[in-house]
Amino acid sequence: MTKDDMRFEIPEHLREMADQGLDQARKAFEEYVSMTHGALGNIEAAASTAQTEGVELNKQAVAFAEENINSAFDYAQKLCSAKSYEELMQLNKAFIEKQMEIAGEQARVMSDKTANAASQTARKFTEK
């Protein structure tokens, strides 16, 4: 047996098939990487939005707490100057009614802001 008889050659059509398979694999990988970068961008945008919206919610909660505490101090001041039991009861009734009204409004505002924050954050996940 000569050296030429032992030579192994890969047929052209097999090399072409391997080359096509490699090209397809490369394209699939590039698409995967592109989609991954897009998804990461959406996640980063959503996280940033969630953080910003969270800060705004916290600021609103602190503002409401400050408002409620000031209202309680005002109420305490009025109680200190009451001259009769009837006046105390009237002040108490007015304070409770006003606080119930304020609590309802504050709950509505926080609910709206929370829903908006969730919507803004969720929207970032679906943006392209």
Side-chain angles (χ1 to χ4, degrees):
M1 223 184 223
T2 67
K3 193 175 184 181
D4 287 336
D5 292 336
M6 295 179 61
R7 193 157 125 225
F8 176 76
E9 287 189 25
I10 299 172
E12 180 68 25
H13 72 281
L14 287 179
R15 287 186 302 204
E16 288 175 5
M17 282 177 39
D19 194 39
Q20 288 174 350
L22 184 60
D23 284 344
Q24 288 175 348
R26 183 182 306 277
K27 287 177 186 173
F29 177 73
E30 287 171 355
E31 281 184 37
Y32 169 78
V33 169
S34 176
M35 288 174 28
T36 300
H37 283 294
L40 287 175
N42 288 353
I43 290 169
E44 288 173 2
S48 177
T49 299
Q51 182 179 15
T52 299
E53 295 295 328
V55 167
E56 291 305 313
L57 282 170
N58 286 338
K59 286 179 181 178
Q60 185 65 68
V62 168
F64 284 155
E66 183 179 5
E67 181 181 327
N68 293 338
I69 291 168
N70 284 330
S71 180
F73 279 128
D74 291 346
Y75 169 62
Q77 187 68 46
K78 289 176 184 175
L79 288 179
C80 289
S81 63
K83 295 188 177 23
S84 68
Y85 179 76
E86 290 80 24
E87 189 178 355
L88 281 174
M89 291 298 103
Q90 196 174 36
L91 287 170
N92 190 49
K93 180 182 178 222
F95 176 74
I96 290 172
E97 287 174 352
K98 184 67 174 171
Q99 286 308 111
M100 293 301 289
E101 180 184 320
I102 289 170
E105 177 61 17
Q106 289 174 350
R108 185 195 63 75
V109 168
M110 290 303 284
S111 176
D112 289 349
K113 285 184 177 282
T114 301
N116 183 55
S119 175
Q120 293 292 328
T121 301
R123 190 172 308 145
K124 295 296 180 180
F125 277 111
T126 59
E127 287 180 353
K128 298 233 175 196

